[in-house]
Amino acid sequence: MKIEGHAVCLPADIDTDQIIAGRYLRTKDRSIWKRHVFEDLDPDLAEKLHEAVIVAGKNFGCGSSREQAPVALKEAGVRAIVAPSFARIFFRNAINIGLPLAEAEIPCSDGDMVEIDLTAGLITVSGISRDIRPLSPRMLQMLAAGGLVSHWRQKR
Amino acid sequence: MPTLSERILAGGAGEYVDREVDRAYVHDGTGVLTYETFRALGVTEVSHPSRAYVLFDHIVPANNSTTADLQHELRHFARSSGLQFSDIGGGICHQLMGEGIALPGEIIAGADSHTCTLGAFGAFATGVGATDMAAIFASGMTWFRIPDTIGLFLSGTLSGGAEAKDLALTYVARLGMDGATYHALEFIGDGVSSLSMDSRMTICNLAVETGAKTGVFYADEVTRAYLLSYHHETAVQDPPDCAYSQEYTFDLEAIEPVIAVPPRVDTVRPVDEMTGIPLDQVFVGTCTNGRYEDLFRFASIVRGKKVKIRTIIGPASKNVLRKAAETGVLSDLITAGCTVLPPGCGPCLGAHMGVIGEGEVCLSTSNRNFRNRMGVGGEIYLSSVATAAASALKGEITAPGGVV
Ligand code: SF4
């Protein structure tokens, strides 16, 4: 599985309240989440996420278990997230909704092209390649299917 | 020897396993997305309705018609599928599961990050997202990567103005906000036996603030007696000598009242260094500190006095509220000038009832002080109940001064 996108750099410990604030959760209208993603952090960030790869510091997605957080990022056009570590509920949620994650430490400058090869476990930025922590076969299958729901439906 | 998590999940750290889930629960916040995803799976029936719980706590009663419509739909799903259902006013999901439902040795999944609270009972209890929960509702199973365990050795007893919350904030600060990512915490040592079940739930509640999957206590005589009061005969779980990936020790005598400074739970300072910060609101409640023990402690400090600033009390459950009513705690709180909310999460998530305004400062007994969580532009300091009570009386951050 290969993914490519321009880097959007973020700091460490981004919590799910920052990704999508609690006040926007009570709805089924996904376009609302996409519009308000990262609003309290930087209101202009949402527009930059189209076809982007987020490159963040450690512990991305900590805090509340809200699955609306990875959904909001995916809806906003994020193609993958790279961070040295993820909060575990966020990690599961992202894979379950088909948003690829890569655990790796890479330098980031906004706009750099980032290439991720999940199957090979490699990430490449400005010609420099790094290893990423391999995903389990089940997670790779889930991502390839586009998330848990389609994976489930394929199996039955 | 295996750790408690390894024992319950029946495997070694690092292994991926598929396991039956003994209890699975959602609340009104995560339930809607769970239900939608469940439908998307193409499944028509919940596999084990007797093990699936829908517990309304986040925005109760509903604050507007959008919330009301979503709750209406979820309520219908719960009732028509024969799920275990608690409507508005019942209480916070983790508290309800801790009132004689969660049992030692069980595997529990909740669609909420603070599901780790139930580790207090010697269960492996962890938070999952809505899609995972939909699959659990559909199949009764989920997968786990068995975590490595960090051992936290407790000795002595809490003294002075310090309480379980101070220990909890202290260990979160020591481990850091991601110090236990992908790990489980185990609380062991001779200091455990002096901690009540209410206190253990407070301590386990904050495990996720270190990134941990769960935090567990071995079920002992205190657990047994507590569960016996709910008519459950349970066995104790003896802690063996385990190989922990890291070990920390905490002398409970040395724990002092502390405050978590916004916007991070792991920025913790002694209350003594923070005294005098003016407050607009005090909030006592949540799945961290809304239990009877907490309301009792608060009432015993403010009894016969008046709070100086707006003070909101959110009982964690109907049972907590009823007991507070029966013992006179409730009338002490009201007489002291507190506002008492219906059982539920209240202002904790900044959705309704007690939202703070821009530039306002709240001292809260909850577990998260992230930026804007209780209202845009507001700041949240976290403390114990005794510190909250002393501070409510003065209108500024105040040390509890051993008055308990
Ligand atoms: S009280 Fe707060 S932390 Fe606990 S479940 Fe409710 S919203 Fe979450």
Side-chain angles (χ1 to χ4, degrees):
Chain A
M1 246 189 117
K2 292 194 180 161
I3 304 135
E4 208 181 52
H6 62 271
V8 169
C9 312
L10 290 175
D13 299 316
I14 294 283
D15 61 72
T16 51
D17 275 73
Q18 288 181 64
I19 300 172
I20 183 77
R23 57 188 180 278
Y24 298 121
L25 298 182
R26 298 320 135 190
T27 176
K28 288 202 223 167
D29 179 359
R30 285 163 185 245
S31 67
I32 291 189
W33 304 334
K34 152 170 126 182
R35 250 183 288 139
H36 297 288
V37 70
F38 289 131
E39 186 174 272
D40 294 345
L41 189 70
D42 172 2
D44 299 329
L45 203 53
E47 286 170 18
K48 299 177 189 149
L49 297 179
H50 187 61
E51 300 183 349
V53 170
I54 289 178
V55 180
K58 68 184 172 60
N59 200 27
F60 188 88
C62 60
S64 146
S65 69
R66 64 190 63 157
E67 196 164 297
Q68 289 91 340
V71 172
L73 295 172
K74 196 180 172 195
E75 294 280 321
V78 172
R79 288 185 163 168
I81 307 170
V82 184
S85 65
F86 293 89
R88 59 160 288 278
I89 301 178
F90 182 90
F91 193 91
R92 283 182 82 126
N93 286 346
I95 308 268
N96 282 341
I97 63 144
L99 174 62
L101 302 182
E103 277 183 295
E105 208 155 341
I106 57 165
C108 184
S109 54
D110 281 313
D112 278 359
M113 279 315 276
V114 184
E115 280 172 52
I116 303 169
D117 186 337
L118 282 178
T119 328
L122 268 188
I123 185 164
T124 310
V125 194
S126 332
I128 304 163
S129 291
R130 300 270 165 97
D131 286 341
I132 59 180
R133 187 164 147 178
L135 293 171
S136 75
R138 186 195 321 243
M139 290 176 195
L140 280 173
Q141 280 168 16
M142 210 118 78
L143 284 176
L148 185 145
V149 172
S150 21
H151 186 238
W152 176 287
R153 296 186 77 113
Q154 281 170 15
K155 277 194 310 182
R156 316 260 139 170
Chain B
M1 293 294 276
T3 64
L4 187 53
S5 298
E6 291 172 325
R7 231 203 270 182
I8 297 171
L9 293 174
E15 262 179 69
Y16 287 89
V17 294
D18 290 288
R19 291 290 176 259
E20 291 234 350
V21 174
D22 295 300
R23 308 194 189 271
Y25 62 99
V26 300
H27 52 64
D28 51 307
T30 51
V32 176
L33 203 48
T34 300
Y35 162 69
E36 280 208 328
T37 312
F38 178 81
R39 283 273 172 273
L41 292 174
V43 182
T44 48
E45 281 185 15
V46 174
S47 71
H48 296 87
S50 64
R51 302 184 198 162
Y53 298 76
V54 176
L55 312 164
F56 278 22
D57 60 6
H58 266 52
I59 305 191
V60 294
N63 60 340
N64 61 30
S65 49
T66 313
T67 309
D69 288 345
L70 293 172
Q71 292 189 359
H72 177 67
E73 206 178 324
L74 186 58
R75 192 179 279 117
H76 175 74
F77 167 65
R79 291 211 171 114
S80 60
S81 311
L83 309 190
Q84 311 307 305
F85 177 58
S86 165
D87 210 326
I88 64 155
I92 304 173
C93 56
H94 313 302
Q95 173 64 16
L96 289 175
M97 297 302 288
E99 291 180 353
I101 296 177
L103 297 174
E106 289 188 333
I107 296 176
I108 300 172
D112 188 275
S113 58
H114 291 103
T115 304
C116 54
T117 310
L118 301 167
F121 295 93
F124 185 86
T126 194
V128 299
T131 299
D132 267 330
M133 189 52 82
I136 294 171
F137 275 14
S139 68
M141 315 257 311
T142 194
W143 65 270
F144 296 99
R145 182 178 177 277
I146 301 181
D148 285 301
T149 297
I150 299 175
L152 288 85
F153 291 79
L154 314 181
S155 64
T157 49
L158 292 164
S159 61
E163 58 191 75
K165 177 64 165 293
D166 297 303
L167 168 62
L169 290 173
T170 302
Y171 85 69
V172 170
R174 188 98 74 89
L175 273 70
M177 247 166 82
D178 66 339
T181 302
Y182 310 136
H183 286 68
L185 307 181
E186 232 174 71
F187 300 96
I188 40 176
D190 61 21
V192 166
S193 60
S194 67
L195 298 167
S196 69
M197 289 315 297
D198 281 8
S199 291
R200 292 180 196 188
M201 287 171 79
T202 302
I203 292 163
C204 290
N205 182 265
L206 271 88
V208 71
E209 308 312 327
T210 66
K213 260 183 193 175
T214 192
V216 294
F217 281 85
Y218 287 81
D220 61 6
E221 286 304 331
V222 176
T223 324
R224 250 174 65 82
Y226 178 96
L227 290 171
L228 204 55
S229 73
Y230 291 98
H231 313 293
H232 290 295
E233 281 277 2
T234 54
V236 301
Q237 298 162 320
D238 286 316
D241 279 333
C242 306
Y244 295 111
S245 63
Q246 293 168 54
E247 295 184 359
Y248 292 84
T249 55
F250 295 86
D251 174 7
L252 300 190
E253 310 286 343
I255 298 294
E256 44 172 354
V258 289
I259 298 268
V261 181
R264 291 176 66 103
V265 193
D266 61 354
T267 313
V268 169
R269 299 272 173 276
V271 179
D272 287 335
E273 288 177 17
M274 307 299 296
T275 50
I277 293 178
L279 300 170
D280 298 288
Q281 175 171 305
V282 166
F283 170 47
V284 177
T286 79
C287 57
T288 316
N289 276 129
R291 283 175 269 283
Y292 180 74
E293 181 177 284
D294 303 312
L295 269 50
F296 177 87
R297 185 182 286 111
F298 193 92
S300 63
I301 297 169
V302 301
R303 185 176 300 130
K305 307 189 174 101
K306 292 276 178 220
V307 296
K308 213 169 177 182
I309 44 173
R310 58 179 203 262
T311 300
I312 298 175
I313 311 283
S317 74
K318 181 167 68 187
N319 288 330
V320 169
L321 178 59
R322 186 197 296 123
K323 194 163 171 195
E326 284 166 4
T327 57
V329 160
L330 188 58
S331 87
D332 287 341
L333 295 172
I334 295 169
T335 310
C338 305
T339 302
V340 180
L341 300 183
C345 301
C348 180
L349 68 159
H352 74 155
M353 294 200 297
V355 172
I356 53 175
E358 180 152 10
E360 286 198 316
V361 180
C362 179
L363 182 67
S364 169
T365 65
S366 59
N367 46 37
R368 286 192 179 136
N369 54 358
F370 299 153
R371 197 164 275 129
N372 300 330
R373 181 171 166 97
M374 282 179 72
V376 178
E379 285 199 316
I380 310 162
Y381 290 82
L382 305 177
S383 80
S384 72
V385 172
T387 301
S391 305
L393 291 173
K394 257 191 122 175
E396 56 186 42
I397 292 183
T398 305
V403 273
V404 185

